[in-house]
Every structure is written in structure tokens, then in C-alpha cells.
Amino acid sequence: MTLEDNLAAFGLPTDLRRRFASLFTPKGYDAGEVIVHQGTPIQHFYFVSRGLIRFFYTRDDGREFNKSFLGEGSMGGALSAYLGDGIAPFGIQALEPTRLWSAPYAHLAALYDEDRRFERMGRQWVERLAVKKERRERALLEQDATTRYLHFLAEYPQLAQRIPLYHIARYIGVTEVSLSRIRARLARSPSSAC
């Protein structure tokens, strides 16, 4: 999926999709390469045209927790940094050879003043992000690990086979051993699977 195709979902006409897409430049990353380090300046918004990236937090003790994953056709960035101090609250890493298109968030935000349709697109993107974050927060606070794993599989069906299990464990908030036990239990009880 191209960036312009992705923008069609927001109802932008072709000329505005091209205007928005013209602000982006491509760059390739190797598997394992860190795109943005947590605690460093971040100014760009990203679109994944090929590959897979993760957004992750690293605690002072070195433990990592995955915030989210973006595969082909997904957009994302660090909204709190763009609207705040400009410092990445999390890291971004390529999990596979990845091609990203990036644009300075300030240039994208300037489009809001050019045409209200850009502003509407930005609002819709933030609304989708807010709903996703609300669901994730609820899952972490209310659901057990098995339910969180099943929801992960439902949310990322096309990525689940591409993401290493230790990253999935870090996403659902369990150890690798606990995830192995969950998977073994689900394998023995097919009626529990999604």
C-alpha cells in the first residue's frame, strides 16, 4: 500500500493526497536498526511502505516493553514529542528490512492551516490513535495475559508470524516463559483460540 492509498481512507481527494505525500522522503533500514533512540530529539512522522517496526520503552534497568508495531501501510510517530518537548518518549526499531517514508511533523501540521480537509484528516488520525490506546490501556488493566495474547493475535493477524515471540511477550506484559505456557495451553485447548 502506498502512502497516497493510505490517505484515501481519510477521504482526501487525489490532489491533496499528493500534496501531503510530497512532504515525505524515503529511507531504508536494516533489521534490528534503531531508527529513533528513546530520549533523543524526534521531529518526523513515519509511514511504513515495506517491513515492520516497533515502538518500545526501555526502563532504567534495561528492560524493554513494546508499545506497538507498525507494518506495511501504517503511519505513526511520537505525538507527545511533536506537541511537547521534541524528545522521543520511546525508541523506534526496524524488526525487518524496512522502507520508511518520513516527513517533519511541523510541515504536516502546517497543512492544517492550508486546507480544513488536512485538519480533518489529522483529527481522524488522532481519534483512531486515541481509541487504540484506550483499548490497549483497558487490556493491560483488566485482562489476563491469555486474553491479551488472543487480542494481540486478533489485532495483528498479518504480523503475528513475523514478530519474534519475545517481542510479543514484551507487548502483552509477560515473560517469554509465561507466553510459552499460554501458547502451549491454547494449543491443547483449540476451543480457547480466536
Side-chain angles (χ1 to χ4, degrees):
M1 174 180 281
T2 68
L3 177 56
E4 285 188 47
D5 292 337
N6 191 279
L7 295 173
F10 292 100
L12 288 178
T14 302
D15 62 322
L16 295 184
R17 291 196 308 259
R18 286 187 184 137
R19 172 77 177 103
F20 187 87
S22 73
L23 299 176
F24 286 77
T25 56
K27 184 173 180 188
Y29 295 91
D30 294 327
E33 188 173 350
V34 175
I35 299 158
V36 175
H37 290 274
Q38 181 175 321
T40 63
I42 183 171
Q43 300 173 357
H44 288 81
F45 188 79
Y46 302 96
F47 173 77
V48 181
S49 64
R50 185 191 61 204
L52 175 63
I53 64 175
R54 72 179 178 123
F55 291 7
F56 66 100
Y57 294 100
T58 305
R59 290 190 342 190
D60 289 341
D61 65 5
R63 288 184 59 201
E64 293 180 355
F65 298 88
N66 289 315
K67 176 185 181 303
S68 62
F69 302 98
L70 298 181
E72 293 87 358
S74 299
M75 295 187 293
L79 193 58
S80 64
Y82 308 141
L83 301 177
D85 62 6
I87 301 300
F90 47 76
I92 304 173
Q93 181 185 36
L95 295 178
E96 299 175 347
T98 298
R99 185 165 182 84
L100 290 182
W101 289 77
S102 66
Y105 182 79
H107 293 177
L108 301 176
L111 292 177
Y112 297 166
D113 294 329
E114 275 187 29
D115 191 304
R116 291 188 59 97
R117 291 173 289 184
F118 285 123
E119 186 175 40
R120 185 177 329 120
M121 180 199 67
R123 187 198 77 233
Q124 289 171 341
W125 181 79
V126 169
E127 288 170 349
R128 290 176 186 181
L129 180 63
V131 168
K132 183 178 178 181
K133 290 177 69 63
E134 186 177 288
R135 287 180 182 150
R136 172 120 165 95
E137 180 181 86
R138 182 176 184 195
L140 289 170
L141 294 173
E142 291 185 351
Q143 297 172 352
D144 62 41
T146 300
T147 304
R148 290 194 306 269
Y149 177 63
L150 292 171
H151 282 198
F152 167 82
L153 294 176
E155 182 178 358
Y156 296 107
Q158 71 285 10
L159 300 180
Q161 300 302 315
R162 295 166 54 190
I163 298 172
L165 290 178
Y166 66 93
H167 279 311
I168 295 172
R170 291 174 184 172
Y171 178 78
I172 66 170
V174 298
T175 65
E176 294 172 62
V177 171
S178 294
L179 179 56
S180 292
R181 289 182 185 137
I182 290 168
R183 289 168 48 89
R185 197 169 42 251
L186 289 172
R188 288 189 306 269
S189 175
S191 63
S192 300
C194 304

